[in-house]
Amino acid sequence: MVLKDFCERIVAAKCSSKSSTEAVDSTQVPASSKAGSSDIHSRNSGWAAAVRRVISGGSMRRFQERVLGSSRTDVSSSDGDIWLLGVCHKISPHESTGDVDTRNVFAEFEQDFFSKVLITYRKGFDAIEDSKYTSDVNWGCMLRSSQMLVAQALIFHKLGRSWRKTTDKPVDKEYIDILQLFGDSEAAAFSIHNLLQAGKGYGLAVGSWVGPYAMCRTWEVLARNQREKNNQGEKPLPMAIYVVSGDEDGERGGAPVVCIDDASKHCSEFSKGLVAWTPLLLLVPLVLGLDKVNLRYIPLLQSTFKFPQSLGILGGKPGASTYIIGVQSDKAFYLDPHDVKPVVNITGDAQEPNTSSYHCNISRHMPLDSIDPSLAIGFYCRDKDDFDDFCSRAIKLAEESNGAPLFTVAQSRSLSIQVTSSSVSGDNTMFDDDSLGTNLDNDAGTNEDDWQFL
């Protein structure tokens, strides 16, 4: 009874709101939950109704988070500076004075966090293909997380990293145009409908969960399909996509290699040979352990958020994807797609379209070492100089990895070379496709979780 009373108080507090995001769809509540009995005490009926509201408004995982407190929202200046997609919010006390203007710094961080595009579960959209699914509740979190990452790449591309969502100024047309791409219908270029269609070759199916590698490849296919469909018009995704992994099947072991020649090839194909370089979206799917992330990779993951090109991480708890956009010490700040919201039609016709459901003012965080080891890191490079800067930073990060980098950089895939300094362990050697199998099989003393299998 103690646990029940505790849960009842929590649920009552969380479920008192009758907002649209927590609206109850009685058709999704099990019949056994709906059934009532005249001899049940009214308090127990209220408890059951509260539980139904939580379950129907999100998922049982959301209910568990609220009761068990696995998601934190507090931000402390004692934990160091916050890095949010390449921008540092210096909330640590100054060494000289020991003071920090917490009001202004926290306001800047909150405004930056609030400006990131949030895309969550939706309900009430047109059925996907010939299925009866009109909602992606409980299975579409990875698709939604990936939509957030790509939407953020478009924000950086069209509006710049310093862009902020404001409430006292007219909305930017480019911002509305970006949101329209992620609508919940086949007419929207990057809708969940079109993602599922493009990802069939990688196992995407309505009602089924998908992993980061298949999700990255799906975006590659969808972007190519959209370019072919809009051959003469403006491209919905005005950048090339380069999925950085061992091979097309994702079976190559060892740290994936960012090949400069491959990046150039993707840019050339995107522009049909008209220019040597184009904006580039890099997606790096990784598996950094077995049941949990190998701790040797945590500092490296933290450092990627310091890259000006950072687009964050597709990751989260096992089976529950989130979009991780920042770090503070050992904490990972994320946008959570698991809230259920009704479909909203964003159009450019309305003078002030309602975009409130695409943003969140609650900065949730979780321990970075608790995330699923299967994840994908994103980067956006605006031009060749930006890509060169990314490569320089990636090389330096590999040099600091003690022989276990997240990924490495090479000029060409066909060359088995070391890109880091001579002080780096020989374990950092990059392999060509022909020699890989022999080297992996005969590499005595290598622990299984020291390698990344994609």
Side-chain angles (χ1 to χ4, degrees):
M1 289 298 296
V2 174
L3 176 60
K4 179 179 176 181
D5 290 342
F6 170 72
C7 293
E8 188 170 359
R9 290 195 299 271
I10 295 295
V11 173
K14 296 297 184 181
C15 296
S16 60
S17 171
K18 298 183 182 296
S19 67
S20 61
T21 61
E22 298 293 337
V24 177
D25 181 357
S26 60
T27 63
Q28 297 181 5
V29 180
S32 59
S33 297
K34 295 180 188 177
S37 175
S38 59
D39 62 349
I40 297 178
H41 192 277
S42 60
R43 181 181 179 185
N44 289 339
S45 297
W47 164 256
V51 172
R52 286 201 300 272
R53 284 197 296 271
V54 174
I55 295 174
S56 62
S59 66
M60 183 54 88
R61 189 190 69 82
R62 169 65 67 199
F63 170 69
Q64 291 170 340
E65 282 191 350
R66 287 173 172 174
V67 174
L68 300 178
S70 62
S71 175
R72 302 292 301 278
T73 58
D74 57 303
V75 180
S76 171
S77 61
S78 63
D79 291 332
D81 298 333
I82 300 175
W83 282 92
L84 201 66
L85 300 187
V87 170
C88 181
H89 294 276
K90 294 183 177 295
I91 66 173
S92 300
H94 297 296
E95 293 183 1
S96 57
T97 63
D99 298 326
V100 60
D101 187 353
T102 56
R103 184 175 60 181
N104 288 338
V105 172
F106 277 115
E108 291 172 1
F109 162 72
E110 290 172 352
Q111 185 63 20
D112 193 4
F113 189 95
F114 171 74
S115 298
K116 301 299 172 281
V117 174
L118 169 71
I119 304 179
T120 68
Y121 288 152
R122 297 283 181 176
K123 64 176 182 177
F125 50 68
D126 292 338
I128 299 174
E129 295 184 330
D130 57 352
S131 76
K132 295 182 180 180
Y133 280 86
T134 60
S135 171
D136 61 312
V137 175
N138 293 329
W139 58 270
C141 55
M142 176 58 75
L143 286 89
R144 297 303 187 180
S145 298
S146 74
Q147 285 179 320
M148 286 189 262
L149 186 147
V150 175
Q152 200 53 57
L154 288 167
I155 292 288
F156 286 178
H157 177 77
K158 294 188 175 183
L159 297 169
R161 179 60 182 85
S162 60
W163 179 83
R164 298 290 183 268
K165 175 74 168 63
T166 60
T167 57
D168 58 346
K169 296 180 181 179
V171 294
D172 296 283
K173 182 181 182 302
E174 293 87 351
Y175 160 71
I176 296 300
D177 290 343
I178 290 170
L179 294 188
Q180 287 178 312
L181 294 171
F182 299 91
D184 294 294
S185 69
E186 292 183 6
F190 303 137
S191 66
I192 194 170
H193 299 64
N194 290 322
L195 279 168
L196 288 167
Q197 177 66 31
K200 286 183 177 180
Y202 291 98
L204 269 69
V206 181
S208 299
W209 200 81
V210 61
Y213 176 80
M215 197 71 255
C216 292
R217 288 297 183 188
T218 294
W219 276 101
E220 189 177 46
V221 172
L222 180 58
R224 182 170 60 247
N225 292 345
Q226 292 293 337
R227 288 200 305 270
E228 294 172 353
K229 183 185 300 184
N230 300 275
N231 191 34
Q232 302 300 324
E234 182 181 356
K235 300 178 179 66
L237 189 66
M239 60 191 74
I241 291 184
Y242 175 19
V243 179
V244 182
S245 64
D247 60 17
E248 190 66 25
D249 297 323
E251 298 297 334
R252 178 175 176 177
V257 183
V258 176
C259 295
I260 297 174
D261 289 349
D262 285 356
S264 177
K265 179 182 177 182
H266 280 80
C267 290
S268 179
E269 291 176 348
F270 176 81
S271 70
K272 297 184 177 180
L274 296 179
V275 296
W277 208 268
T278 66
L280 186 64
L281 170 60
L282 289 100
L283 300 173
V284 189
L286 300 167
V287 178
L288 302 178
L290 298 177
D291 297 328
K292 60 181 181 179
V293 175
N294 189 316
L295 295 181
R296 70 194 306 175
Y297 296 115
I298 297 298
L300 305 179
L301 290 174
Q302 292 170 324
S303 294
T304 62
F305 288 93
K306 300 179 182 181
F307 285 34
Q309 302 82 11
S310 171
L311 283 176
I313 295 174
L314 299 182
K317 297 297 179 67
S321 175
T322 64
Y323 177 34
I324 300 174
I325 61 173
V327 292
Q328 182 191 32
S329 183
D330 60 350
K331 298 184 296 190
F333 290 89
Y334 64 93
L335 292 172
D336 192 349
H338 295 90
D339 282 324
V340 186
K341 300 182 180 181
V343 167
V344 59
N345 183 24
I346 299 293
T347 67
D349 299 332
Q351 186 174 3
E352 285 294 329
N354 184 2
T355 63
S356 60
S357 65
Y358 285 93
H359 297 275
C360 178
N361 58 7
I362 299 175
S363 54
R364 296 185 174 94
H365 60 80
M366 59 183 159
L368 187 57
D369 61 6
S370 71
I371 66 175
D372 194 304
S374 179
L375 53 87
I377 311 176
F379 301 95
Y380 166 71
C381 300
R382 182 174 296 275
D383 49 34
K384 182 61 164 61
D385 288 342
D386 203 21
F387 177 75
D388 290 343
D389 179 76
F390 162 79
C391 289
S392 296
R393 294 173 185 273
I395 289 171
K396 183 178 180 181
L397 187 62
E399 290 176 342
E400 298 170 352
S401 68
N402 294 320
L406 295 172
F407 55 89
T408 55
V409 180
Q411 181 66 42
S412 172
R413 182 180 296 275
S414 62
L415 298 177
S416 178
I417 61 173
Q418 284 189 325
V419 73
T420 56
S421 67
S422 58
S423 62
V424 178
S425 167
D427 288 343
N428 198 40
T429 303
M430 289 168 281
F431 305 98
D432 60 30
D433 290 335
D434 293 333
S435 64
L436 180 66
T438 302
N439 283 333
L440 283 179
D441 292 340
N442 297 332
D443 189 13
T446 300
N447 294 325
E448 185 177 6
D449 63 353
D450 287 345
W451 292 100
Q452 302 149 325
F453 295 98
L454 301 180

